[in-house]
Amino acid sequence: MTAAYVREVRQVEETALSWVAAHRDDFALGDDALAADGHVNGSWKPLGELTRVCASVVRHTGRTDPLHACASDLLTFAWRQTRQGEWFVRLQRCEPFATYPLEVYAAFAAVGLRHTGYEAATATVARTRGWRLTEQQPTRRLGVLHAEQSSGIRAQDGNSPALRRTWLGGLPEPWTFERPSGYALTHVVFHLTDWGRATDGVPADMAAYLTDWLPPWLDTCLDAGMWDLSCELLAVAASLPGPPEPAALRDAWGRVAAAQHATGALPEERGAAGDDVRADFTHCYHSTLMAAFAAALTLGRVDGKGARGAGRPRTRDSRMRYGAPDTRMPYDGQGALG
């Protein structure tokens, strides 16, 4: 990476995290977070995503870095929202077979914020056939397994049969890439690499497949103004053992930076936030978090902690000609819940 490239990525991260900090209260949990008919995607899910991203920023910045302090403060805020984990216990009692509490809790457990009572109660439920046999999509199943491992309720196991049943695990024809498969593949990589911590977590055949095809998929998403998915793909690129060619990623970061509002907010898609991107939390929070997440992982590869060279040369055309993401499909967020 050139110095200018590093500065550009750093600027995206700084402004994105600044916007997140300014909108901290929008991540707060209300009393409806414990309601039987509560809107999980509007309460627990954003909080879990905030925790995942801030954990990555903390991991890839020094203690004297202002970003480290900002992300640490946000982690403290997020944990306080759960009443130091006590609300996970209450959720578990109300919905013992729901997996989303454990998936969100795992984001906290990964940074050492734990509640032993919740872990003990969930471990008991996780031993039942009812829990193990809950029907889930393969990508979601990987997420639940990863959450169990992060929370200490299941031993590490990198050979889950669910992996090869995912879209990415089957190494499909690259021209079949579209929006749903894009979000699915990013989360498969996040689960395999423990959200960017272990770049050797992706099997060799999948890593080679992604190194070849991720750049044209990224071009396609950028052309469509799909900033959220583009940032997730940039995070995937930074999680691979041998990232794609730097030139392709440098252009992508330039386009993301150009789409970012001066406040740091990044809309999910071109035009999605309407006229006032600064005030539209719903259509900006996830993509803004993903910009900070991808930037943290990207910069983490050049500070000596994860760098493994420039990556393999590209062997495919610069963009996909077919299979562009279907913009009619509603975006369901994915995020911490996979």
Side-chain angles (χ1 to χ4, degrees), residues 253-272:
W253 275 111
R255 296 169 75 177
V256 168
Q260 191 176 30
H261 192 271
T263 62
L266 180 70
E268 287 180 1
E269 299 183 8
R270 184 183 293 125

Side-chain angles (χ1 to χ4, degrees), residues 51-175:
T51 304
R52 284 290 184 197
V53 170
C54 288
S56 293
V57 174
V58 166
R59 189 168 64 253
H60 291 296
T61 52
R63 290 184 178 275
T64 60
D65 191 323
L67 289 182
H68 187 98
C70 179
S72 296
D73 287 346
L74 287 168
L75 283 174
T76 300
F77 162 82
W79 185 237
R80 191 165 60 244
Q81 292 304 303
T82 73
R83 283 40 173 192
Q84 286 70 46
E86 190 60 32
W87 273 19
F88 287 111
V89 177
R90 295 178 62 178
L91 277 178
Q92 202 274 339
R93 290 171 181 165
C94 294
E95 301 181 82
F97 290 94
T99 61
Y100 76 86
L102 179 62
E103 294 172 83
V104 175
Y105 175 80
F108 291 99
V111 290
L113 298 171
R114 310 183 78 119
H115 190 289
T116 55
Y118 171 71
E119 291 183 14
T122 304
T124 299
V125 174
R127 288 194 292 269
T128 66
R129 291 188 297 276
W131 175 277
R132 295 197 308 270
L133 297 174
T134 298
E135 296 187 15
Q136 296 159 327
Q137 292 293 326
T139 302
R140 183 65 180 276
R141 182 62 182 156
L142 280 180
V144 174
L145 291 173
H146 177 256
E148 292 176 355
Q149 293 162 5
S150 298
S151 305
I153 354 184
R154 179 188 294 269
Q156 295 289 331
D157 178 11
N159 298 311
S160 169
L163 174 57
R164 292 298 172 176
R165 293 200 297 269
T166 64
W167 187 87
L168 175 60
L171 305 178
E173 299 84 354
W175 49 266

Side-chain angles (χ1 to χ4, degrees), residues 12 183 186 190 218 221-222 226-238 252-253 256-257 266-268 286-295 297-298:
V12 169
Y183 279 110
T186 61
F190 297 158
L218 181 57
C221 292
L222 289 166
M226 300 175 67
W227 313 124
D228 185 71
L229 182 52
S230 295
C231 287
E232 291 206 8
L233 291 173
L234 283 168
V236 167
W253 275 111
V256 168
L266 180 70
E268 287 180 1
H286 188 268
S287 39
T288 304
L289 283 174
M290 288 301 100
F293 177 55
L297 295 185
T298 298

Side-chain angles (χ1 to χ4, degrees), residues 9-25:
V9 177
R10 169 78 184 199
Q11 180 66 20
V12 169
E13 182 180 16
E14 287 179 350
T15 54
L17 203 61
S18 174
W19 185 90
V20 170
H23 288 77
R24 186 179 74 171
D25 290 344

